[in-house]
Amino acid sequence: QAGISKLSEVEEQVFDLELPASVQSWLRGLPDRPLIFRSSASVEDGADRSLAGQLRSCLVFEPDQRASALRHCWASLLSSHARAYLGEDTLRRVRLGIIAQLWVEPEASGVLFAQTDISICEAVFGRGEALVTGFATPDQYRGDGYQRVGRKQLALVPCEKTVYPADLLTVTYGGQNGEAYVLEPDPDQRAAYVLLPDSMAEQPALEPHSLTALWNLGERIRQEAGQDVDVEWVKDRDGRIWVVQCRPC
């Protein structure tokens, strides 16, 4: 077993491994659409540790990128922070699976805490990274009727063309069209961090019917799980709610 000092060498070895024929066949059989590869470990979301933020997810637009994305997800278990978090003894027992999900470009995204007492939902415009990193102040909705519309000015939004910092990008959120100021392009993700116009940023990310659908969905998942749950969700441009992942609160 290699120690933490050998981390880089161990990670590189993942990319030298030949993929088993069954895995290659699975990759070839995936739909010809953008996918996101997500890691799921056998010790994740347990009573002792959550592993939240330790393992990698990879957004893939082209079929020829899938094998590399798969290896990146596997290698994330051998990263310095994951190994330090788990410890060598636990690491030897971990099994890591990779899930391929259809990529849904969100109009809004967030987290729903479906709880026995009062459920809470947080929402931002665009992709959820602006919420989980703390860059955007989300809307907050509670099951008792409380609602606070946050100042969701910073957002991670799709961007198919090449843009540069300080460019203007036309966006539509909260029922409004406007020009967003580009802060940081992310061409690998075909996206950019932008500053939304004030009038747009201060619009609610969820309409009442979408919020009702989320409350009902969260309660159904909570009942099936038999415990309070943390549900990551996205809402597409057609108003459909998609569950990205779910874990115990």
Side-chain angles (χ1 to χ4, degrees):
Q1 297 290 335
I4 291 177
S5 61
K6 294 288 188 179
L7 173 63
S8 295
E9 179 182 338
V10 172
E11 282 189 281
E12 289 173 2
Q13 289 175 3
V14 174
F15 292 87
D16 295 333
L17 295 174
E18 183 177 354
L19 294 179
S22 59
V23 174
Q24 295 183 43
S25 175
W26 174 69
L27 289 173
R28 288 193 298 269
L30 293 172
D32 189 16
R33 289 182 52 182
L35 302 170
I36 186 162
F37 286 72
R38 297 185 182 275
S39 307
S40 182
S42 56
V43 297
E44 204 164 354
D45 300 325
D48 298 330
R49 57 181 62 85
S50 70
L51 263 182
Q54 302 295 323
L55 303 177
R56 185 168 184 179
S57 297
C58 293
L59 178 56
V60 180
F61 291 96
E62 305 298 336
D64 61 3
Q65 299 171 337
R66 293 173 179 176
S68 176
L70 187 67
R71 289 185 170 98
H72 274 291
C73 291
W74 279 337
S76 66
L77 184 63
L78 303 175
S79 67
S80 57
H81 53 81
R83 292 166 71 92
Y85 182 87
L86 289 169
E88 293 292 333
D89 289 341
T90 301
L91 187 64
R92 293 187 183 98
R93 302 192 302 271
V94 174
R95 296 294 180 268
L96 183 66
I98 308 301
I99 301 163
Q101 293 179 321
L102 294 176
W103 172 248
V104 176
E105 191 64 62
E107 178 182 35
S109 53
V111 181
L112 170 64
F113 302 95
Q115 302 171 135
T116 306
D117 46 6
I118 297 178
S119 293
I120 299 172
C121 181
E122 295 184 339
V124 296
F125 289 127
R127 301 184 187 178
E129 285 87 342
L131 172 61
V132 299
T133 57
F135 290 153
T137 302
D139 295 348
Q140 186 178 94
Y141 309 88
R142 292 196 326 210
D144 61 2
Y146 171 84
Q147 176 177 325
R148 183 202 69 211
V149 177
R151 186 175 172 81
K152 307 172 294 299
Q153 193 164 27
L154 192 145
L156 182 61
V157 304
C159 182
E160 294 292 334
K161 65 180 183 179
T162 300
V163 295
Y164 301 93
D167 282 353
L168 293 176
L169 188 65
T170 302
V171 295
T172 303
Y173 290 103
Q176 296 189 0
N177 299 320
E179 299 291 322
Y181 183 87
V182 175
L183 295 176
E184 183 180 349
D186 187 347
D188 290 340
Q189 304 296 312
R190 298 187 185 179
Y193 276 102
V194 301
L195 283 179
L196 300 178
D198 289 346
S199 59
M200 185 181 297
E202 293 170 359
Q203 296 298 313
L206 290 172
E207 309 89 344
H209 67 273
S210 295
L211 187 57
T212 299
L214 274 167
W215 292 140
N216 293 337
L217 179 61
E219 180 59 19
R220 195 179 93 196
I221 295 173
R222 189 187 72 81
Q223 292 284 351
E224 291 185 4
Q227 59 184 318
D228 294 350
V229 289
D230 163 349
V231 180
E232 294 184 19
W233 57 269
V234 298
K235 179 176 76 96
D236 65 22
R237 290 284 181 181
D238 295 324
R240 290 176 295 183
I241 304 293
W242 301 74
V243 173
V244 176
Q245 63 180 11
C246 175
R247 61 171 63 90
C249 281

